[in-house]
Structure formats: C-alpha cells, structure tokens
Amino acid sequence: MNVNDSDAREAGMLESSASTAPLPAPVLRRREHCPGCHRSSARTLHKEPLDSPGISRYMRAHYEHRVERDFSGYDYELAQCEHCGLAYQAQVPTEELLQEIYDRWLPATEREAVVSRWGLDDYRYLAGQVEFMLDHFRMQPSSIRALDFGFGWAEWAKMACAFGVNVCGAELSQVRIDYAKSVGIPVVDASRLPDGEFHFINTEQVFEHLLEPGEMLQRLGRALRPGGLIKVSVPNSEKSIRKLVGSGDFSRLNDGDIMAIAPFEHINAFTYASLSALGREAGLVPLRPSLRKLYNSSSGWMEPKSALKTLARPIYRHLYPKSTFVYFARPG
C-alpha cells in the first residue's frame, strides 16, 4: 500500500471475459463501527447501488474493463462517525478481495507507469522528507531505524537507503513485497512489529486503504520509540464529500473528486479534523515542525516554479495546518 501517491495504488482486474459471472460471496462485508474510534454512532451521507450507472462507468474506465465480479445487491455507502468525524465506506472488501485488488487488479506494467510519471520534483520532494527526518533527530543516518509502512513500490524506502538510513518496509501486496526484496529493502510483518523499535515511520497514501485505520495507528504508535515520529499523508476528502452529498449522484463527480472516496480502495475519507482525531485516539500528538527545518530540507530554489512550491508548501501544511499531512509524535 504506500504509495506514493501517488495514487499509484489505484487498481484494475484480470482480463475481462465475454460473460460476466458473480464469484463466490461474500466479496464485501459491513462495518458495524467507526474504523477510527470504534464508536457505533454514525449517519449515512450517501448511498447508491454499486452497479449504478455512475459507479459502473467509473469502474469500467478506471479498471479498463478488467472487472469480472458482479456487485449487484451491494451498495456504495458513505457514512460519517458522529464522535470523531471520520467518513468511511460502510461496505468494504473482505480480506480475500483486498488481496485480489492489490495483487491482481493492477496491470503488470504499473511499476513502469509509476516510473514514467515521476520526475525531478517528485524525487526532490522525497529527498526533502528524508532530510527533514535526519535534521529532526540529528543522528547518524545509519543509527536511525525507520519503517516504510505500506511502501507500494518502495520509493521512500529507497530514498532513505540512499541517505544511509537503516530502513525496512511492510506491505500487503506480494507483488510489491517481491519487488522491494529485489532492490534490497528488508520486509517485516506489520502484525508483529516490536514495541519501541523505530525512530520514524513513513506512511504515504496508506490509511485511506485500511480496514481498521484506528487499530493500525495504535499499533504503529507502539512501535515508535519515545519521541519518535510517524508521518501520515492521506487524500483530503472534504471537497469530494461535499460535492457528492450536494449532488446525490456519483455520476456528477469528476476523476479528481472520485479519487479521495474511490469505491473499494479509498474506504476511509479524511479531513484534517478527523485525521487529528485518529492520532489522539492512538495516544499521539501532532508535531508542528519548525520552518527552519522544513526549508533547510528543501531544494529547488533556483527554479521559479519549484521555488514557489517549496516556499508555499511548509506554510500551508504546517504553519496553518488544515491539510491532511501530519507528523505525529509519541510522547516521552
């Protein structure tokens, strides 16, 4: 799951056959509580059949006609917790279907597609994040123990390795696990992380995919050393939810709107408030990094367009924090 979003985790299925036949049920299960805080008080924001014209059109285009399953009888239902404010899909894939999504729905050429999209600014952005981590801890890179959780194609992990950081990764997809091992990234079992092990945990476009994001953030929080940091970066769903609720029809959304609340994949829809609440539930506190450290770890100042982005991003994200990019710290 990482992904470096940047949404290189978006998925497709096997080659379509001439006739579509339903595969063994159940393919979806219902969440009976909020996946963030585990309270059961929620209200429905939007509901429509998964085989509605708008969702069916999205599925055909997004997965390039590779979907073989029949989702009639299931709904796309977006609910919102009345306690922590997290919006989430009430019907979500079973673990079996999740494995299918991330191992089989994606075309075999996805890795090449990611590489073809990435440019200098993307790698510069990754390097800046690793530099910030090093500046924050002020330790020898080899002494820093880092975890890239849900690493996708391991772009952050590879960048951290290039700086000499002692980094490992955790991932759901076996295809991506095999790739990470092939480029020298050690892979660990996310269900067996030792307590107090890591100085830094990177999660990029991961928590929107998780069946139980609250439980996972608590587990990752325990895996941090006292004073350690976890970076959580997720899509901001505020605009998408507002447009969906206002229109009442999935077909009214464009690709950008759908991204943050995509069926099957982005099953948790965060805002700054709900992400902050998730951190509090896990016993973590938001960290507002100093602008000196943020700018000191940024490059690209000599190119006007890049410099403007470099100048504006730390202010938007951290001086006036309303984005869904948050560093959380374990107290101690």
Side-chain angles (χ1 to χ4, degrees), residues 127-309:
Q129 291 185 35
V130 176
E131 290 176 28
F132 167 79
M133 175 184 67
L134 297 175
D135 192 20
H136 177 82
F137 290 109
R138 294 298 179 114
M139 298 167 58
Q140 283 292 106
S142 60
S143 298
I144 294 177
R145 181 77 168 140
L147 171 68
D148 193 1
F149 176 75
F151 54 70
W153 296 111
E155 302 296 347
W156 188 93
K158 289 188 293 185
M159 184 65 72
C161 278
F163 279 80
V165 176
N166 184 1
V167 63
C168 60
E171 171 60 56
L172 169 68
S173 166
Q174 188 59 48
V175 174
R176 292 161 183 76
I177 289 173
D178 293 341
Y179 171 77
K181 290 179 177 179
S182 75
V183 295
I185 305 297
V187 178
V188 297
D189 184 348
S191 66
R192 299 179 180 179
L193 298 177
D195 290 352
E197 175 74 8
F198 300 103
H199 297 90
F200 189 89
I201 298 176
N202 179 70
T203 75
E204 178 70 35
Q205 310 302 303
V206 174
F207 275 81
E208 67 271 29
H209 298 268
L210 301 180
L211 293 174
E212 296 291 346
E215 290 182 2
M216 183 55 70
L217 189 57
Q218 290 179 24
R219 184 185 303 168
L220 293 178
R222 292 192 298 269
L224 285 174
R225 301 185 182 198
L229 296 182
I230 177 170
K231 187 203 84 180
V232 180
S233 179
V234 293
N236 191 327
S237 67
E238 188 168 5
K239 178 182 175 183
S240 301
I241 292 173
R242 185 167 60 244
K243 189 169 181 178
L244 179 61
V245 173
S247 67
D249 187 347
F250 201 86
S251 65
R252 301 292 184 90
L253 306 183
N254 60 38
D255 290 344
D257 299 324
I258 294 172
M259 188 278 291
I261 54 174
F264 303 109
E265 297 178 60
H266 292 181
I267 56 178
N268 310 305
F270 291 97
T271 63
Y272 175 76
S274 61
L275 182 57
S276 297
L278 192 77
R280 288 195 300 271
E281 290 283 340
L284 303 171
V285 294
L287 171 75
R288 181 176 293 184
S290 72
L291 290 179
R292 185 201 67 77
K293 287 185 177 180
L294 291 166
Y295 284 126
N296 192 49
S297 62
S298 301
S299 56
W301 287 101
M302 300 307 293
E303 299 174 24
K305 185 177 180 180
S306 178
L308 183 61
K309 184 187 294 185

Side-chain angles (χ1 to χ4, degrees), residues 69-112:
R69 288 186 180 268
D70 179 6
F71 292 104
S72 59
Y74 293 102
D75 292 318
Y76 174 89
E77 182 179 348
L78 194 64
Q80 185 172 41
C81 177
E82 294 182 335
H83 176 76
C84 70
L86 176 64
Y88 57 92
Q89 292 175 34
Q91 293 193 48
V92 293
T94 60
E95 292 191 5
E96 178 187 0
L97 180 58
L98 277 178
Q99 194 73 41
E100 182 177 311
I101 289 171
Y102 293 113
D103 269 345
R104 297 171 57 195
W105 288 23
L106 285 169
T109 57
E110 191 228 18
R111 167 64 193 158
E112 288 72 19

